[in-house]
Amino acid sequence: MVMHKTQSHRRYLASSRFVRVLGTKRAMEKIVNDFVINVATANGTGSQSSNLIILHSMFEMGVPVSGKNLFPSNISGLPTWFIIRASDRGYQAPGDGTNIQILMNKDTWIKDLEGLEPGTIVIYNEDVKMPVERDDCVLLGMPMTKMARKINPKLGRLIANMYYVGAVAHLLGVEEDAIEKAVKAQFKGKEKAVELNIQAISEGREYANENWDFDCQFIVESRDKDPDTFLIEGNEAIALGSIYGGISMLSWYPITPSSSLAESVINWLPELRSDGDGGSTCAVIQAEDELAAAGMVLGAGWAGGRGMTCTSGPGISLMSEFIGLFYFSEVPGVIWDVNRVGPSTGLPTRTQQGDLSMLYEASHGDTQHIVLIPGTVDECFEFGWRVFDFAERFQTMVFGFNDLDLGMNRWKTSGFTYPDSPMDRGKVVRSQEEMDSIPEYGRYRDVDGDGIAYRTLPGSGLDPILYRGTGHDEDGVYSEDPQVYHDAMARLKRKIDGAREHLPAPVIREEEKKDLGVIFYGSMENSIVEIDDMLEESGLSVSTCRVRALPLHSGVEDFVRRHDRTIVLEINRDGQLFGIIRKEFPAELIPKIHSVSYSDGMPPRARVYSDMILEVLEGL
Amino acid sequence: MLKLNVLELEKSEYTGGKSSLCPGCGHDQISNNIIQAAWENGIPPEKVAKMSGIGCSSKTPAYFLGKSHGFNTVHGRMPSVTTGANLVNKGLSFLAVSGDGDTASIGIGQFVHAIRRNLDMVYIVENNGVYGLTKGQYSATVEKGSKKKKGVANQQAPIDLCAMAINLGCSFVARSFSGSKKQLTALIRAAMSHRGMAFIDVISPCVTFANNDESYKSYNYVKANDEVLHILDYISHFSPIEEVEVPEGEYQEVSLFDGSTLRLETLAADHDYTDAVSALSAIHQSEKAERHVTGLLYYDDNVPTATDTLGLSETPLVELSEDLLRPSPDSLEKVNSGFRS
């Protein structure tokens, strides 16, 4: 998929608006739909609802907006930040700095305040009773807790957060209708909560209006909102995708950030996967650990079902022995990895692309696995169903690779597209007639020349064999013969290699002038437009290539060939995709491919990566 | 003329490949009993799924029921693979073989959770107290004071898998000895007729590493110290008259899920197989006396199975057509519009 960037991509730049408005007090250059809000609160105080209301109300107005939840590994009390960015240019990265800082949390108050650029607007809860010593910033206080307690003494702490929603709405000019819609969506069906929170937001708005003598230069302005669009987390999109992919067994073990994927499947099953007589067409089981979860997927795939589990890096480590057995015994199955920072507990609530090379070669001995890498919520849905087709077609375990940023934050979609092809159940022999039509059938015999053999299912009575990890010949009979083992491994290599051109091709946005190609994948999609624009400010002509699957499609190598220099851009320390490319691409291409890789647990900030790219290019 | 079973199949339809275990291994006798039990019960071989982990015992599915699919999985993790297969195809009869290393050490977590879910399967542990394939290390079921052929006597307390299973609420718990053909065959037949987890711990001497008289799991020791609870007769639902005669003494009858019956002829003290406390007491008393209690220890036919509790479709999930597995285009429109409003 190659798209020429000149039309599609540049329009973001053209739509950036700087409008002159005459204010009541003084003339001021208004900055429309281009700002970053940072909300500092404590975990477990209900601030997630307030933040999502700000996000959704702007989204309702058609303002291009994105939200990032930076939360700790904790249920209550530790600091959490929420970043909301509005950008008519469609930028979704967290942004370079903060334009509006909201201070609610005593514990991070001083540090948050110290880090602000001069001129930042600071909205703070006066009732926290912390010093606000920044004369170079705009300081706007409000007794949020006191006001909230007046409405409801018991829920004061939770409702206090709604006052900053009112304050932000006042400063930016967020429409009341939009706020009301967002509140109703947030507290669906809970009328009392809707009423209470709207009252608090209105009071916050009124207080700001009456007490703050300040004309905010940042404003929101309605855009034509595509009525089809909505925001959704990547994990829920994958869950829905898997339901439309005919998942018949989900086994899972709770681990952040993948639990919400399993829980979404559980939530949607009653509505979408009932057999008409009240029976579910998908079994869900909470396993005793990740080893068992993987084993259950293996059992389901072996018996002819569509089994899936979801986990994060530590879970993949535990599943690795089974992953090798999937590969060697050639049983289909699906494992989603929602990547968080490792190792072990690592930073369990922070994002990273640090599992890629582990997935590609997980387990002992010679292995290689298919990995699907969505970069948008639409692809989360699409790969969510397609992954089962790949698993059954290639008779192997297929990974979906997601990360916390894409999985647990909300992203825009225009609605999910129904699968465009029927389920591909792969080469399964289901009757004696089918069996008779295959010349020289053997469970592991490559009769079609594509590396994929035919299989039969338990219960069918057709060519029963004992599946195992030990060596087996083409008929599935135990063998430790050196040539038999060698040939089996060569066929497996051929089988997975053969998948390359069937897997999702890279998405390429290409310039006519081939100065620089940037190869990236997954959630970096949300920062790449901004990185690209920053690089082009330096006069470079930049094309981008988003990898969507391993093993790599030939389109990636062609992309490298067409460009003078190529950067492989990743959210990890060592450049894991770069390592795979260096190993697999022809030696003559390697000198013009360079790695830029950085990970600190934060969603990728465009400036960090564009600066690093420029630095690498300067050093060449 | 060859004898046929209720499906008019010869016994050879239930045999498997040639064993590669040591000559005289207790496990081969168990394989023969499995063949006998499956044949006598008239189980369609193609409906059986043979499951195992890793170890000497776990190799045996290659030696019986050659007409059945099977999976020799990874060490200690056979229960999870069985769970996945069972959830998507509850129409299969799962017959699993594991060992004391495979179950009582590396696989103890999965053993526990398979019981907790009352997975519908026959779970046989071929228990010899040693790791055979790695050449004779003690396993966790070896008794304190028991000594294998080489090395010092074991000083650690054993894990009694039957006691553990009873404590976990396992619906069918039995212990037997690979040398007790009649008892073991009856128990395997009853286990196959049970719906839910049927666990049989079979003491199976390792002739190579632990068949010396100081080993509590040697042939001589078990023969001399087998505390048999009752004489067992299995009466199949399809030919209840032919198989056994009514004994003269006292007996109890256990009704099994498929309509068959297990008759227990009381030998010594009464054993109440419906009472977990009584079963545990029998185990602990024999352990104290350094003996092995064998027979049906505990039975409860009123425990829902894993698939019962999940509210699944009546039809096994693997048999559902695509229109039931993939919701309609209209439903996706509804999902989308739900998010939009």
Side-chain angles (χ1 to χ4, degrees):
Chain A
M1 195 188 304
V2 177
M3 193 164 75
H4 285 281
K5 217 169 62 173
T6 33
Q7 303 94 32
S8 58
H9 170 75
R10 288 257 162 65
R11 73 191 142 86
Y12 290 119
L13 295 171
S15 68
S16 164
R17 284 157 209 236
F18 291 85
V19 188
R20 267 191 98 73
V21 176
L22 286 178
T24 46
K25 298 180 183 77
R26 62 189 169 91
M28 186 191 242
E29 196 174 47
K30 290 287 181 188
I31 299 173
V32 180
N33 296 351
D34 187 16
F35 53 81
V36 174
I37 306 172
N38 182 307
V39 188
T41 56
N43 211 24
T45 58
S47 57
Q48 177 77 345
S49 301
S50 311
N51 301 332
L52 290 175
I53 288 166
I54 298 176
L55 187 75
H56 278 262
S57 60
M58 290 193 215
F59 183 75
E60 277 305 320
M61 291 175 67
V63 178
V65 68
S66 61
K68 305 270 189 192
N69 188 16
L70 308 177
F71 59 105
S73 176
N74 158 262
I75 297 302
S76 180
L78 287 184
T80 173
W81 293 269
F82 197 90
I83 300 171
I84 296 165
R85 184 173 192 190
S87 167
D88 270 344
R89 283 169 288 187
Y91 294 165
Q92 303 189 91
D96 292 338
T98 299
N99 303 110
I100 300 172
Q101 176 69 52
I102 295 164
L103 295 179
M104 303 294 286
N105 185 5
K106 195 168 89 184
D107 294 340
T108 62
W109 191 283
I110 304 290
K111 213 177 155 193
D112 284 336
L113 202 58
E114 278 173 2
L116 297 173
E117 292 288 320
T120 307
I121 299 161
V122 182
I123 299 171
Y124 64 97
N125 184 0
E126 285 174 359
D127 299 327
V128 178
K129 306 219 180 304
M130 288 291 286
V132 197
E133 287 156 6
R134 279 295 299 259
D135 295 343
D136 57 343
C137 290
V138 180
L139 305 173
L140 304 170
M142 189 188 285
M144 300 185 194
T145 315
K146 272 194 198 117
M147 291 167 79
R149 289 222 169 99
K150 265 187 205 158
I151 301 186
N152 187 316
K154 267 196 205 158
L155 301 175
R157 191 162 172 246
L158 298 176
I159 297 171
N161 291 310
M162 291 297 157
Y163 286 82
Y164 69 71
V165 178
V168 166
H170 164 74
L171 291 182
L172 299 172
V174 182
E175 291 162 4
E176 273 180 48
D177 284 358
I179 291 275
E180 202 174 312
K181 221 174 154 189
V183 174
K184 281 182 178 159
Q186 186 64 33
F187 301 103
K188 231 168 207 165
K190 296 177 194 157
E191 275 175 40
K192 184 77 195 158
V194 170
E195 194 187 315
L196 209 61
N197 285 293
I198 287 182
Q199 189 189 342
I201 295 169
S202 304
E203 285 187 10
R205 197 194 276 270
E206 276 164 36
Y207 182 95
N209 188 35
E210 285 165 17
N211 297 280
W212 295 348
D213 182 23
F214 171 68
D215 183 21
C216 182
Q217 74 187 109
F218 301 101
I219 57 166
V220 291
E221 201 172 81
S222 286
R223 298 280 175 257
D224 287 337
K225 188 195 167 209
D226 177 348
D228 284 348
T229 56
F230 57 87
L231 299 175
I232 188 168
E233 293 178 9
N235 280 351
E236 186 162 20
I238 293 168
L240 282 164
S242 65
I243 285 172
Y244 281 84
I247 180 175
S248 55
M249 202 270 328
L250 169 73
S251 55
W252 69 294
Y253 186 77
I255 181 172
T256 304
S258 79
S259 302
S260 63
L261 202 172
E263 285 163 345
S264 289
V265 173
I266 294 165
N267 288 341
W268 280 107
L269 279 178
E271 183 181 330
L272 295 173
R273 290 288 299 276
S274 221
D275 65 359
D277 297 317
S280 176
T281 60
C282 174
V284 178
I285 194 149
Q286 188 180 319
E288 52 268 38
D289 53 32
E290 286 92 343
L291 295 90
M296 290 170 190
V297 177
L298 182 78
W302 173 68
R306 291 194 146 187
M308 177 179 116
T309 184
C310 51
T311 185
S312 192
I316 301 291
S317 311
L318 292 171
M319 294 173 181
S320 286
E321 187 179 15
F322 266 130
I323 290 165
L325 189 59
F326 269 106
Y327 178 76
F328 191 64
S329 63
E330 301 184 65
V331 172
V334 172
I335 300 178
W336 277 93
D337 176 14
V338 188
N339 202 160
R340 66 189 212 190
V341 176
S344 176
T345 41
L347 306 182
T349 57
R350 304 303 158 116
T351 197
Q352 191 181 53
Q353 296 179 325
D355 291 347
L356 189 75
S357 55
M358 169 170 73
L359 299 188
Y360 194 39
E361 294 186 350
S363 203
H364 45 279
D366 284 318
T367 56
Q368 193 171 47
H369 308 294
I370 295 170
V371 185
L372 301 187
I373 315 168
T376 65
V377 285
D378 290 316
E379 287 177 356
C380 284
F381 179 83
E382 185 193 336
F383 295 180
W385 62 265
R386 255 189 222 288
V387 66
F388 291 105
D389 291 348
F390 290 126
E392 291 198 315
R393 170 54 44 190
F394 295 101
Q395 293 182 15
T396 194
M397 198 280 311
V398 177
F399 283 113
F401 182 47
N402 190 20
D403 63 23
L404 184 144
D405 189 16
L406 181 57
M408 289 188 73
N409 287 315
R410 294 184 186 202
W411 306 98
K412 193 168 83 172
T413 173
S414 301
F416 300 123
T417 309
Y418 196 74
D420 57 7
S421 55
M423 288 184 192
D424 180 356
R425 304 308 306 258
K427 295 187 188 179
V428 181
V429 183
R430 294 180 195 270
S431 68
Q432 191 60 49
E433 293 77 60
E434 284 173 28
M435 177 63 87
D436 294 341
S437 71
I438 300 167
E440 280 193 273
Y441 172 88
R443 171 61 188 95
Y444 296 112
R445 184 164 292 120
D446 181 12
V447 294
D448 295 337
D450 57 2
I452 309 168
Y454 287 84
R455 66 180 184 130
T456 62
L457 302 178
S460 68
L462 298 165
D463 186 60
I465 64 156
L466 184 65
Y467 276 65
R468 55 181 127 209
T470 33
H472 43 250
D473 65 13
E474 291 181 319
D475 290 314
V477 175
Y478 173 75
S479 169
E480 293 188 22
D481 183 284
Q483 195 61 47
V484 165
Y485 176 76
H486 174 271
D487 291 351
M489 295 309 287
R491 180 179 61 76
L492 284 175
K493 178 83 177 159
R494 214 165 59 237
K495 180 177 87 166
I496 302 296
D497 266 342
R500 289 179 196 271
E501 304 306 302
H502 298 278
L503 299 174
V507 176
I508 292 171
R509 303 177 183 108
E510 190 148 316
E511 294 284 0
E512 298 207 351
K513 210 162 152 260
K514 320 287 185 199
D515 289 347
L516 179 67
V518 177
I519 295 170
F520 68 102
Y521 54 96
S523 65
M524 184 66 96
E525 169 71 3
N526 298 313
S527 303
I528 198 69
V529 174
E530 192 174 4
I531 293 171
D532 186 329
D533 287 348
M534 286 174 174
L535 293 174
E536 296 201 341
E537 277 169 21
S538 70
L540 277 169
S541 178
V542 182
S543 308
T544 61
C545 167
R546 179 158 61 83
V547 168
R548 299 197 296 166
L550 293 178
L552 290 166
H553 191 276
S554 58
V556 183
E557 190 180 314
D558 296 341
F559 177 82
V560 172
R561 287 186 190 281
R562 289 197 299 271
H563 289 82
D564 296 344
R565 288 165 297 180
T566 314
I567 294 285
V568 184
L569 190 64
E570 301 175 68
I571 311 166
N572 53 52
R573 189 190 66 184
D574 296 335
Q576 299 188 359
L577 179 62
F578 176 67
I580 292 166
I581 286 175
R582 204 162 49 172
K583 193 164 109 179
E584 296 188 359
F585 279 16
E588 78 267 16
L589 291 180
I590 307 304
K592 65 175 190 172
I593 310 173
H594 307 278
S595 172
V596 167
S597 207
Y598 179 83
S599 166
D600 60 3
M602 289 283 287
R605 284 152 295 166
R607 182 69 64 193
V608 171
Y609 291 87
S610 65
D611 283 353
M612 284 180 76
I613 292 172
L614 291 172
E615 206 176 303
V616 166
L617 294 177
E618 275 166 26
L620 295 179
Chain B
M1 201 181 132
L2 280 164
K3 209 175 156 193
L4 303 178
N5 71 0
V6 68
L7 297 179
E8 304 201 336
L9 295 174
E10 293 173 17
K11 196 163 146 189
S12 61
E13 296 289 310
Y14 292 83
T15 55
K18 190 174 170 293
S19 171
S20 65
L21 299 174
C22 306
C25 178
H27 298 358
D28 284 333
Q29 291 170 310
I30 301 171
S31 293
N32 288 336
N33 290 330
I34 289 171
I35 292 166
Q36 185 72 20
W39 177 64
E40 286 181 1
N41 272 26
I43 293 174
E46 72 276 9
K47 292 296 171 199
V48 175
K50 303 177 289 183
M51 312 302 291
S52 68
I54 297 294
C56 294
S57 56
S58 293
K59 290 169 78 141
T60 63
Y63 317 140
F64 57 78
L65 297 181
K67 299 266 162 84
S68 306
H69 269 78
F71 210 140
N72 180 190
T73 64
V74 298
H75 201 15
R77 259 78 75 158
M78 170 277 288
S80 64
V81 181
T82 309
T83 306
N86 175 248
L87 294 183
V88 299
N89 191 354
K90 58 185 179 182
L92 293 171
S93 298
F94 293 93
L95 172 61
V97 177
S98 176
D100 40 309
D102 198 54
T103 290
S105 287
I106 189 168
I108 200 157
Q110 296 211 347
F111 172 67
V112 164
H113 287 274
I115 292 174
R116 190 175 154 248
R117 296 185 184 108
N118 197 28
L119 201 62
D120 186 12
M121 68 186 291
V122 176
Y123 191 133
I124 295 171
V125 166
E126 301 182 347
N127 187 352
N128 56 19
V130 289
Y131 286 78
L133 269 184
T134 51
K135 303 203 167 178
Q137 300 82 7
Y138 282 126
S139 82
T141 63
V142 67
E143 299 79 0
K144 205 169 179 174
S146 178
K147 188 181 166 304
K148 60 189 167 73
K149 201 163 150 191
K150 288 180 184 167
V152 295
N154 170 58
Q155 293 306 320
Q156 293 184 60
I159 291 174
D160 189 305
L161 291 170
C162 287
M164 193 168 185
I166 292 163
N167 276 318
L168 291 163
C170 185
S171 50
F172 181 116
V173 182
R175 174 168 286 148
S176 189
F177 171 46
S178 62
S180 303
K181 188 180 173 195
K182 182 170 186 276
Q183 182 197 48
L184 180 54
T185 306
L187 283 171
I188 296 173
R189 295 186 71 183
M192 287 171 170
S193 295
H194 175 60
R195 188 166 178 275
M197 170 66 80
F199 174 66
I200 311 176
D201 179 32
V202 188
I203 302 163
S204 174
C206 174
V207 289
T208 303
F209 297 109
N211 202 27
N212 46 314
D213 289 350
E214 310 96 307
S215 164
Y216 292 14
K217 287 187 169 70
S218 64
Y219 274 112
N220 287 341
Y221 190 93
V222 182
K223 269 186 204 156
N225 293 286
D226 187 356
E227 203 165 284
V228 183
L229 283 172
H230 31 233
I231 291 170
L232 292 169
D233 284 308
Y234 175 93
I235 306 157
S236 71
H237 63 97
F238 46 80
S239 57
I241 310 301
E242 292 169 20
E243 300 198 10
V244 286
E245 286 172 17
V246 180
E248 285 180 7
E250 301 241 328
Y251 67 90
Q252 298 169 290
E253 286 192 338
V254 182
S255 300
L256 301 164
F257 179 77
D258 69 357
S260 304
T261 307
L262 189 65
R263 180 173 290 164
L264 316 178
E265 296 160 40
T266 310
L267 280 180
D270 267 357
H271 171 66
D272 182 0
Y273 62 85
T274 64
D275 180 22
V277 176
S278 156
L280 288 168
S281 163
I283 290 171
H284 288 304
Q285 278 173 14
S286 74
E287 187 191 346
K288 216 166 149 187
E290 299 183 337
R291 290 168 68 80
H292 299 288
V293 60
T294 61
L296 180 69
L297 290 162
Y298 182 70
Y299 178 70
D300 181 356
D301 62 357
N302 202 21
V303 187
T305 64
T307 51
D308 290 343
T309 53
L310 291 175
L312 299 181
S313 193
E314 286 294 319
T315 312
L317 303 182
V318 289
E319 290 170 22
L320 296 173
S321 57
E322 180 164 341
D323 60 316
L324 281 169
L325 290 173
R326 171 169 285 170
S328 68
D330 286 353
S331 73
L332 184 60
E333 255 333 290
K334 219 175 128 197
V335 169
N336 282 328
S337 58
F339 282 116
R340 283 169 188 141
S341 64

